[in-house]
Structures are given as C-alpha cells and as structure tokens.
Amino acid sequence: MTTKRFKVQLLRWLGGVILVIFLIINVLMAFHAYRFTYFYEAHEAQFRRPERMTRGEKLSQALFGFRFPKRSVNETPDWPYQTIRLKNERNQTLVGWYSPAEEASKGTVILWHGHGSAKSRVLAEATYFRRLGYAVALFDFRAHGQSDGNVCTIGYHETSDVKTVYDWVQAKGEQRIIFWGMSMGAATILKAIPEFNLQPTKVILECPFASLEDAVKGRLRSLHLPEQPLANLLLFYGGLERNLKAWEYQPAEYARKLTMPVLLQWGRSDPRVSRDETNRIFRNLASDQKQLVIYQESGHQSFCRHETDRWERTVRNFLNR
C-alpha cells in the first residue's frame, strides 16, 4: 500500500470517527434538552441524590439526562387560604393558593417560583407580604407542583400562566397588583409584562437570567460541564422539541419595557446567574425608580430565608416608597 493511499484511508477513518462522535453528542444533547424541560409525575420518577444512585443509574443519567419528578407540595400555609384552579391558554389547570388581606388590603402580591420548584417553596415570602398587609396569590406554573402538564419551556410559554393569574386577580377588582418572582419566575415576569401589556404597580425580581442561553450556560457551570458547544446544542434541540425561539428569549431585553418601580435582587455567590447578567438587566430597566440589591452571603436561593432581616427591610422600604 502506497503512503498516499494509506493517508487517504486514514483520513477517511478519522472522518468517520469524528462523524460518529458528532452524531452521538447530538443524540445525547437532544435527550438532555428533552429531560431538562420535562417533569415526570411522581409515580413515573423519583428524585434521588447522586450519592444514593448505583453506578449504572449515574451513567444513564449522565448520558441521557436526569428524570425530574414534579416537586411535591407537602407544605401548606399556616394562615387562611383558598385553593384556586384556573385554566391557561392550553386549557391546563393551574393550581394556586389565594389569601385576602386580614385588614384593609394594600394590594395583591402574585408570587412565582423557579424552575423545578413549586408554590410551597415561596411560602416564607408570601407570609411576610401578608404581614405587611397585602393579599397574596401563589400559583404553580404548568408542569410544576399541582398544576397540569409535564412540559416546561423555562418561562417562554409560561408567560400565559402569569397573564391568567393577573387577569383573575384584576377581575376581583384589585387595582394594585405587585409581581414577585424568583429565577425562572422572575424571567417569566420580565417577558410577560411587555408581551401582554400587563400593568403591575411594582415588580420584585430575584435572580432572573438575562437570556435563555445564559440560563443554559449557568446550568452547565453548576454541573462543571463545558459551556460550549453544549449550550448551543441544548438550545437548538430544546427549541425544536418545545416550539420556542431559544436564542430570542432575552429577559434582559424585555427589561427595556418595564417603566414601573422595580426592585432587582441577586446573590453574590450565585453559581447560575452572573453579576454581568444582573447588571445588564438593571441597566436596561426603563423605570426611573429602580433599585439593585446584592446579598453578600447568598447564592441562587431564597433571600427571605437566608438573609431574612435584610430582605424584609429592603422589601418593606421598596413597597412603602
């Protein structure tokens, strides 16, 4: 065999190997994108900590993604509330808790949780808003908690859930509606306000991501995986599978449409949302009454639970201003 012919065959073999690796990576990323945006019912999957998994289970989930069950709602309010069921644009039932103010209401705070969470995870915040004299409404996004559905689009289509609850509260005659959101909930609020021309009186945002691409990169960072090319592959397949324009999902750009008072909050040790993302959102906010607060001892978590005194003082002053 001549040297030239050997080189040609070697190049073909290497090209074939590279092609196979490329195809395998794409298949695996398609699986990961699917499972990151799909929440299984409790009887279909159980959450297990990695240290309790067998080697086979760890390998399977590393290759094909984690099977996330809907987070159970095991905790309920210790104050009077009503269970509310509303239908979103897909005729899915959204389940929430509503509690009117004990005395003359200062308004209604609608609270939205983060990705993979549930309304019971924001009870601490809701309890404080009630102490301040506000009515509160806490709802599970579609595919979360007790609400219908299994597919989550990280806030892209969940804006309709925000509008559904907003319209319901407004129909009760409420003139003063405040939005509070954490992570995905905050990003969804940023998108929903200009998309549906909603008019909340004030907005409190905690740890929103600046774009879906940034959110995916933050997730990869938290798993100690390379951001690229994995982020682009996940966005590509997630967009195909969930009917969304992944690269156009830009909460930082939607911030340009918010003119009402906005309180933006971020934790200095946040591994998922960067300071740069937070600064971009804050710069873009069109409001002339905006405030950025950074929690020095917190990460991507509840500031209400972790730095309680400062959070309560900050929120109280913002709402009273």
Side-chain angles (χ1 to χ4, degrees):
M1 182 182 295
T2 65
T3 303
K4 182 177 181 181
R5 185 177 176 185
F6 174 77
K7 289 181 177 179
V8 170
Q9 289 187 347
L10 179 60
L11 288 173
R12 287 177 177 174
W13 180 81
L14 288 173
V17 171
I18 292 171
L19 178 60
V20 169
I21 293 174
F22 175 79
L23 292 175
I24 290 174
I25 291 175
N26 275 264
V27 170
L28 295 180
M29 288 302 100
F31 271 109
H32 275 270
Y34 177 88
R35 288 193 169 171
F36 184 65
T37 54
Y38 190 93
F39 289 95
Y40 292 84
E41 300 297 334
H43 66 276
E44 296 177 312
Q46 288 186 333
F47 176 78
R48 296 180 64 189
R49 296 185 181 280
E51 59 269 20
R52 295 191 176 183
M53 294 180 183
T54 65
R55 289 184 179 179
E57 289 173 330
K58 289 180 181 179
L59 178 61
S60 174
Q61 299 207 24
L63 290 175
F64 302 108
F66 291 88
R67 288 167 56 90
F68 289 108
K70 285 187 178 180
R71 186 181 288 272
S72 299
V73 179
N74 296 323
E75 186 180 1
T76 56
D78 58 5
W79 24 263
Y81 69 95
Q82 307 164 28
T83 298
I84 307 298
R85 290 175 171 81
L86 305 175
K87 294 289 187 179
N88 64 11
E89 91 291 358
R90 296 179 61 86
N91 203 37
Q92 295 169 317
T93 299
L94 305 178
V95 181
W97 297 324
Y98 171 74
S99 179
E102 293 183 348
E103 298 178 1
S105 177
K106 295 181 179 180
T108 299
V109 180
I110 302 176
L111 297 93
W112 292 104
H113 60 76
H115 177 265
S117 189
K119 59 183 178 293
S120 56
R121 301 291 291 179
V122 299
L123 276 173
E125 288 82 357
T127 298
Y128 184 66
F129 287 126
R130 288 189 80 254
R131 280 170 49 196
L132 293 179
Y134 292 89
V136 294
L138 309 71
F139 275 78
D140 291 319
F141 278 117
R142 65 186 71 182
H144 288 77
Q146 297 171 316
S147 291
D148 286 350
N150 300 98
V151 173
C152 168
T153 58
I154 328 296
Y156 189 88
H157 293 304
E158 285 78 4
T159 52
S160 292
D161 298 351
V162 173
K163 181 180 186 300
T164 297
V165 177
Y166 176 88
D167 289 346
W168 178 79
V169 171
Q170 196 174 53
K172 295 175 69 64
E174 182 61 79
Q175 300 297 315
R176 192 165 190 260
I177 298 175
I178 296 96
F179 280 155
W180 177 94
M182 167 67 182
S183 190
M184 185 188 91
T188 309
I189 288 170
L190 281 165
K191 185 174 186 289
I193 289 174
E195 183 175 344
F196 297 110
N197 192 31
L198 306 183
Q199 300 294 325
T201 305
K202 293 185 176 183
V203 174
I204 302 174
L205 306 170
E206 301 190 0
C207 306
F209 49 83
S211 69
L212 185 56
E213 181 177 3
D214 287 315
V216 172
K217 288 180 177 178
R219 180 75 174 184
L220 292 169
R221 282 196 305 272
S222 69
L223 296 173
H224 306 290
L225 294 172
E227 295 181 12
Q228 294 296 357
L230 299 186
N232 283 335
L233 290 173
L234 288 170
L235 287 169
F236 174 74
Y237 286 110
L240 286 179
E241 294 165 358
R242 303 308 182 200
N243 187 33
L244 56 90
K245 298 177 181 178
W247 280 275
E248 294 182 16
Y249 183 11
Q250 301 274 344
E253 292 302 310
Y254 310 140
R256 300 181 188 278
K257 301 294 184 180
L258 272 64
T259 57
M260 67 289 295
V262 179
L263 171 61
L264 175 62
Q265 309 200 87
W266 177 73
R268 186 174 64 87
S269 301
D270 194 330
R272 298 188 185 181
V273 177
S274 68
R275 176 66 185 270
D276 178 66
E277 289 178 72
T278 304
N279 288 341
R280 281 157 52 198
I281 293 172
F282 186 70
R283 284 196 306 268
N284 288 351
L285 286 168
S287 172
D288 58 4
Q289 298 181 60
K290 59 184 181 180
Q291 180 182 2
L292 172 61
V293 175
I294 297 175
Y295 291 81
Q296 300 297 323
E297 300 176 7
S298 300
H300 200 80
Q301 61 193 127
S302 169
F303 306 136
C304 173
R305 295 176 185 269
H306 196 248
E307 294 188 52
T308 305
D309 291 343
R310 188 183 183 199
W311 183 87
E312 290 184 351
R313 183 172 62 254
T314 300
V315 168
R316 181 177 64 249
N317 291 341
F318 173 73
L319 293 176
N320 288 341
R321 188 174 303 130

